[in-house]
Short mmCIF file of all heavy atoms in Angstrom, two decimals:
data_model
loop_
_atom_site.label_atom_id
_atom_site.label_comp_id
_atom_site.label_asym_id
_atom_site.label_seq_id
_atom_site.Cartn_x
_atom_site.Cartn_y
_atom_site.Cartn_z
N LEU W 125 192.17 84.99 143.33
CA LEU W 125 193.25 85.82 142.79
C LEU W 125 192.87 86.40 141.44
O LEU W 125 193.20 87.56 141.14
CB LEU W 125 194.54 85.00 142.69
CG LEU W 125 195.76 85.74 142.19
CD1 LEU W 125 196.11 86.87 143.15
CD2 LEU W 125 196.93 84.80 142.06
N ALA W 126 192.19 85.65 140.62
CA ALA W 126 191.76 86.12 139.30
C ALA W 126 190.78 87.30 139.44
O ALA W 126 190.87 88.27 138.67
CB ALA W 126 191.13 85.01 138.51
N LEU W 131 189.84 93.14 139.09
CA LEU W 131 189.48 94.40 139.73
C LEU W 131 190.62 95.42 139.62
O LEU W 131 190.37 96.59 139.32
CB LEU W 131 189.13 94.14 141.19
CG LEU W 131 188.76 95.37 142.03
CD1 LEU W 131 187.50 96.03 141.46
CD2 LEU W 131 188.57 95.00 143.47
N ILE W 136 192.77 100.37 136.97
CA ILE W 136 193.82 101.03 136.18
C ILE W 136 193.22 101.58 134.91
O ILE W 136 193.50 102.74 134.52
CB ILE W 136 194.94 100.02 135.87
CG1 ILE W 136 195.73 99.71 137.15
CG2 ILE W 136 195.90 100.57 134.80
CD1 ILE W 136 196.70 98.56 137.03
N ILE W 145 189.80 111.77 129.59
CA ILE W 145 188.65 112.68 129.60
C ILE W 145 189.05 114.05 130.14
O ILE W 145 188.67 115.09 129.59
CB ILE W 145 187.49 112.07 130.45
CG1 ILE W 145 186.91 110.86 129.71
CG2 ILE W 145 186.43 113.10 130.73
CD1 ILE W 145 185.97 110.04 130.56
N GLY W 153 188.38 123.36 126.55
CA GLY W 153 188.11 124.61 127.27
C GLY W 153 189.29 125.55 127.11
O GLY W 153 190.06 125.48 126.18
N ALA W 160 197.48 118.41 143.01
CA ALA W 160 198.00 117.08 143.30
C ALA W 160 198.19 116.95 144.80
O ALA W 160 198.44 117.91 145.50
CB ALA W 160 199.31 116.82 142.57
N ILE W 164 202.20 109.58 152.43
CA ILE W 164 203.27 108.62 152.69
C ILE W 164 203.04 108.05 154.07
O ILE W 164 202.95 108.81 155.04
CB ILE W 164 204.66 109.31 152.59
CG1 ILE W 164 204.89 109.88 151.22
CG2 ILE W 164 205.76 108.34 152.98
CD1 ILE W 164 206.16 110.70 151.11
N SER W 176 197.48 122.13 147.37
CA SER W 176 196.50 123.02 147.99
C SER W 176 195.88 122.28 149.16
O SER W 176 196.08 121.09 149.35
CB SER W 176 195.42 123.45 146.99
OG SER W 176 194.61 122.33 146.68
N LYS W 177 195.12 123.03 149.94
CA LYS W 177 194.46 122.43 151.10
C LYS W 177 193.44 121.37 150.66
O LYS W 177 193.31 120.31 151.28
CB LYS W 177 193.77 123.54 151.90
CG LYS W 177 193.44 123.17 153.28
CD LYS W 177 192.88 124.38 154.02
CE LYS W 177 193.43 124.39 155.43
NZ LYS W 177 192.93 125.51 156.21
N ALA W 184 194.12 112.73 152.08
CA ALA W 184 193.93 112.16 153.40
C ALA W 184 192.66 111.30 153.46
O ALA W 184 192.64 110.20 154.05
CB ALA W 184 193.85 113.27 154.46
N LEU W 188 192.42 107.25 154.17
CA LEU W 188 191.56 106.65 155.19
C LEU W 188 190.66 105.57 154.59
O LEU W 188 190.42 104.54 155.21
CB LEU W 188 190.72 107.72 155.88
CG LEU W 188 191.45 108.60 156.88
CD1 LEU W 188 190.55 109.71 157.35
CD2 LEU W 188 191.96 107.77 158.04
N VAL W 198 191.86 92.35 155.70
CA VAL W 198 192.82 91.58 156.46
C VAL W 198 192.27 91.08 157.78
O VAL W 198 192.48 89.92 158.17
CB VAL W 198 194.10 92.42 156.69
CG1 VAL W 198 195.06 91.72 157.63
CG2 VAL W 198 194.79 92.70 155.36
#
Side-chain angles (χ1 to χ4, degrees):
L125 182 61
L131 178 62
I136 290 170
I145 290 170
I164 299 173
S176 70
K177 199 175 220 181
L188 285 173
V198 172

